[in-house]
Amino acid sequence: MTIKPLADNVVVKATAAEETTKSGIVLTSKAQEKPQIMEVVAVGPGGMVDGKEVVMTVKPGDKVIAAKYSGTDVKVEDEEYSVLHLSDILAIVE
């Protein structure tokens, strides 16, 4: 099964969360923050969204920084993904 985003939506997969703090304290899975750097898996076609032309500026394979609490989390075949609007992506990591 694959996820095919519509309109200005982007499917991303989170990178690994930090397991220890800079001072060496090991974090439990519940204490770990949701990673903000994610890899783009699929991109919608863009087009007219709410009466405005949207041009998609990211492509699959890009590493991006997303707003902290944005998107909808989805689990497909034991893999976790987030579906975001293009406007929730703040930057591309090069």
Side-chain angles (χ1 to χ4, degrees):
M1 179 185 325
T2 60
I3 302 173
K4 184 176 178 182
L6 303 175
D8 67 335
N9 292 308
V10 179
V11 178
V12 294
K13 184 176 181 180
T15 57
E18 292 294 325
E19 294 180 8
T20 58
T21 64
K22 289 182 182 180
S23 61
I25 298 172
V26 177
L27 299 171
T28 63
S29 60
K30 293 214 179 224
Q32 295 171 0
E33 286 189 21
K34 180 179 175 183
Q36 288 178 280
I37 297 180
M38 304 175 177
E39 182 176 350
V40 176
V41 176
V43 178
M48 294 297 286
V49 177
D50 295 330
K52 297 178 185 172
E53 182 70 26
V54 176
V55 177
M56 303 306 280
T57 54
V58 296
K59 61 188 179 307
D62 283 349
K63 297 230 185 280
V64 296
I65 297 174
K68 195 165 194 141
Y69 298 107
S70 60
T72 301
D73 295 332
V74 182
K75 190 171 187 177
V76 177
E77 296 178 357
D78 296 327
E79 293 285 335
E80 292 187 17
Y81 301 96
S82 291
V83 180
L84 312 168
H85 289 286
L86 181 64
S87 60
D88 292 331
I89 297 175
L90 306 175
I92 297 174
V93 178
E94 296 181 338

